[in-house]
Amino acid sequence: MMSLSLLQSFVSVLQERVISSPKWNKSKQVFDYENQSLEVVVVLKLVRVVQGINASKILCEHGLFIDFGATQRNIYEAYFLLGGIDNPSGNVDKFISEFFSRTIDDHLTSEYHTVASKKILSGASRYMVEMEQQPHVRQLHLNIYKTFSVVSP
């Protein structure tokens, strides 16, 4: 099992190597990513998931369980986006556009065109099913099931 600190380190290295750091946009007075791509959004979603897992652990220790839902939403969105790497769709493009339209400098004036939740959940589900069909993923799930099962499969 991967520790939270190891997961944080992994995502930090991923962020550094895949998308680097945002650059200061003097005209907007904010940090922006020059490359507004699927890869940038996926890595930023993963950063948010790791932060959310850490926050959820702390919140749940204090009885605040509802905030876990926000982390779960980010996980579904990450799966939705990962499914768009090999099969890009208009919804993935729309999500990326909407993601980058919500910046700190124009959050009150931007017009949002969000992707319907059912499209995100459907895309995430398709990706998870496709991953489940991979022999190494199926074997991993079977091993976990056998390890933690009280009933023989």
Side-chain angles (χ1 to χ4, degrees):
M1 183 156 111
M2 185 179 286
S3 72
L4 185 55
S5 62
L6 184 59
L7 186 59
Q8 288 170 321
S9 296
F10 171 74
V11 171
S12 178
V13 169
L14 185 65
Q15 181 179 10
E16 181 181 305
R17 291 185 182 172
V18 174
I19 65 173
S20 67
S21 298
K23 306 289 186 246
W24 180 250
N25 184 326
K26 189 175 180 178
S27 66
K28 291 181 170 183
Q29 297 292 299
V30 297
F31 284 95
D32 271 339
Y33 283 92
E34 294 173 347
N35 181 9
Q36 296 186 352
S37 66
L38 173 62
E39 290 80 7
V40 172
V41 179
V42 169
V43 171
L44 292 177
K45 283 290 175 182
L46 291 174
V47 168
R48 179 62 186 100
V49 166
V50 170
Q51 291 173 344
I53 291 169
N54 191 42
S56 293
K57 178 183 177 290
I58 294 166
L59 291 166
C60 289
E61 288 172 353
H62 292 88
L64 303 169
F65 301 103
I66 196 77
D67 295 279
F68 179 73
T71 298
Q72 188 65 41
R73 187 198 77 232
N74 279 287
I75 291 170
Y76 282 120
E77 290 172 349
Y79 276 125
F80 166 73
L81 293 166
L82 286 168
I85 289 175
D86 292 329
N87 297 319
S89 74
N91 285 322
V92 169
D93 293 340
K94 186 176 178 182
F95 187 96
I96 292 167
S97 175
E98 188 264 338
F99 180 87
F100 285 108
S101 73
R102 294 186 181 203
T103 59
I104 196 166
D105 60 317
D106 66 355
H107 73 282
L108 296 176
T109 59
S110 290
E111 182 178 330
Y112 302 125
H113 301 285
T114 59
V115 177
S117 297
K118 66 181 180 180
K119 297 286 187 183
I120 292 171
L121 291 174
S122 294
S125 296
R126 272 192 305 280
Y127 180 75
M128 288 186 259
V129 167
E130 288 171 13
M131 286 303 297
E132 184 64 31
Q133 300 307 313
Q134 301 294 321
H136 67 284
V137 175
R138 290 181 67 209
Q139 188 61 51
L140 175 67
H141 285 239
L142 183 59
N143 291 347
I144 292 169
Y145 181 81
K146 285 179 178 179
T147 301
F148 294 101
S149 180
V150 294
V151 178
S152 299

